[in-house]
Amino acid sequence: MTVKHDLELVKVTKRYGPTVAVDAIQHRFQPSSYTCLLGPSGCGKSSTLRMIAGHESVTDGAILLSGRDISALPPAQRGTAMMFQNYALFPHLSVLDNVAFSLKMKGVDVKERHTKAGEMLELVDLTALADRLPDQLSGGQQQRVALARALITRPEVLLLDEPLSALDPFLRIRMRGELKKLQKELGISFIHVTHGQDEALALADEIVVMNDAVIEQAGPARDVFNAPMTRFVAQFMGGHNVIALPEGHFAIRTDAVAITAPQKGKLDAQVIAVEYQGTHVSLLSRITGDQEITALVPEAEYFTTPHHPGDRIGLHWDAKNLHQLTA
């Protein structure tokens, strides 16, 4: 039976001199889940991850793991492990010895640590490459070595700092699947920092959106995408228009906006840009003032009745698809 470990941030703050990088954030992570900390550069997500890992000190607040305050403990005593963005593999050590390194530092004898490292390599499907050096591996293979090295300590929580950013787009998609599969097999919590909305949606059970040192919204991935609470979340997650109406600001998904010829009863707009995206065509138009609305039109539908920059069009949507924003 898998033991479920709760990780909780209790009013955690990080200051660098007068700069507040993380401002009294409060969040309980779902146990045995895949969580993505998502946000733009400088929002505080990496500082949060590094405080959980013990690589940054906590200015105020507490970090609790299974009810135990780990805020002041060194990284090796926390029950967490971190996989760094650049993988940080030792170039002179074999794959096997890279994976076994932390056990060597703990004084585990060579036979036992190599046995455990071998088990980790089997887990990430790299047994055949155990004797190679890191520079003899592809980017994806290096990433899996770094993953095995982090997991050999049997952490309660695995922390991943933009682990896919160095990979090409095709490999990035493949590795997303491998990470998700591994998390489910191990049954431990993964906390993954990214600025990629598609990456967060593909991986996360829960998304925590950060902006300007605070958490703007947190919840199941589908809820955060379909029911953004603020203008920032709606715009940062993508796939939404933010529309100002007399009753306030509303979000509506770009694929819920329909296009017709200009006609009475439809919102009049002028096309300003058209972008082919394969399965869909993104059509950007301007309505009154400087407000812009994007419609995502299925490819076949668009090319049956194409529109071009400068054309006048009508826009409409079902009112039930409007989602009111709180800020």
Side-chain angles (χ1 to χ4, degrees):
M1 181 178 172
T2 303
V3 177
K4 294 192 172 183
H5 301 281
D6 279 328
L7 177 70
E8 185 174 6
L9 307 179
V10 183
K11 295 185 178 178
V12 171
T13 297
K14 179 62 184 178
R15 296 189 193 92
Y16 299 99
T19 303
V20 179
V22 178
D23 190 4
I25 63 172
Q26 183 105 9
H27 187 71
R28 181 191 290 272
F29 294 89
Q30 295 297 317
S32 304
S33 66
Y34 205 123
T35 302
C36 282
L37 296 181
L38 175 67
S41 297
C43 70
K45 59 188 186 297
S46 289
S47 293
T48 299
L49 196 78
R50 292 178 65 82
M51 283 191 287
I52 296 169
H55 299 302
E56 292 281 2
S57 60
V58 175
T59 308
D60 290 307
I63 299 169
L64 307 180
L65 181 55
S66 300
R68 178 177 66 129
D69 188 348
I70 62 170
S71 309
L73 296 178
Q77 295 177 21
R78 292 189 168 215
T80 63
M82 188 157 177
M83 181 177 157
F84 295 96
Q85 187 175 356
N86 63 359
Y87 310 148
L89 301 177
F90 298 110
H92 61 289
L93 294 182
S94 69
V95 164
L96 187 71
D97 284 328
N98 261 287
V99 174
F101 186 77
S102 63
L103 298 185
K104 182 180 180 180
M105 293 296 98
K106 290 181 177 180
V108 177
D109 71 74
V110 65
K111 184 178 178 182
E112 184 181 350
R113 69 176 183 258
H114 279 177
T115 297
K116 290 187 175 179
E119 291 169 359
M120 289 296 108
L121 289 177
E122 188 175 349
L123 185 68
V124 297
D125 198 24
L126 285 178
T127 303
L129 305 183
D131 295 329
R132 290 196 186 179
L133 295 174
D135 66 3
Q136 296 173 312
L137 304 177
S138 69
Q141 290 165 344
Q142 289 180 14
Q143 190 203 50
R144 282 187 278 164
V145 175
L147 196 56
R149 188 178 61 182
L151 290 169
I152 201 168
T153 60
R154 301 290 180 181
E156 298 170 29
V157 179
L158 180 66
L159 309 168
L160 304 103
D161 185 13
E162 301 204 34
L164 307 180
S165 60
L167 304 178
D168 65 65
F170 178 79
L171 187 55
R172 197 176 303 146
I173 291 171
R174 182 178 163 194
M175 289 305 300
R176 286 196 315 222
E178 292 194 17
L179 283 173
K180 185 77 171 175
K181 178 173 176 281
L182 192 59
Q183 188 272 324
K184 293 303 179 192
E185 286 177 357
L186 293 170
I188 66 173
S189 295
F190 280 28
I191 301 176
H192 174 136
V193 160
T194 180
H195 58 263
Q197 300 87 338
D198 58 340
E199 191 170 296
L201 288 168
L203 282 166
D205 301 311
E206 180 182 40
I207 292 176
V208 177
V209 183
M210 294 189 68
N211 182 40
D212 287 340
V214 300
I215 294 173
E216 285 258 341
Q217 185 172 349
R222 193 175 178 202
D223 290 355
V224 172
F225 181 77
N226 282 313
M229 293 171 60
T230 67
R231 294 179 66 181
F232 172 81
V233 173
Q235 291 169 334
F236 188 79
M237 289 301 298
H240 289 83
N241 295 290
V242 174
I243 300 170
L245 298 174
E247 303 86 357
H249 284 90
F250 292 80
I252 186 165
R253 282 173 45 158
T254 55
D255 59 352
V257 178
I259 295 173
T260 67
Q263 55 188 279
K264 190 175 180 181
K266 307 299 182 188
L267 188 62
D268 186 57
Q270 183 172 33
V271 177
I272 56 176
V274 176
E275 186 177 89
Y276 177 63
Q277 296 181 349
T279 57
H280 290 77
V281 174
S282 175
L283 192 148
L284 179 65
S285 62
R286 181 177 289 119
I287 56 173
T288 53
D290 60 356
Q291 186 158 300
E292 296 177 352
I293 293 179
T294 297
L296 199 61
V297 185
E299 181 206 28
E301 180 183 324
Y302 173 82
F303 285 105
T304 300
T305 313
H307 300 282
H308 306 285
D311 289 353
R312 305 300 302 188
I313 58 171
L315 301 175
H316 69 103
W317 50 77
D318 191 324
K320 75 174 189 289
N321 292 324
L322 286 171
H323 174 73
Q324 187 154 22
L325 303 173
T326 59

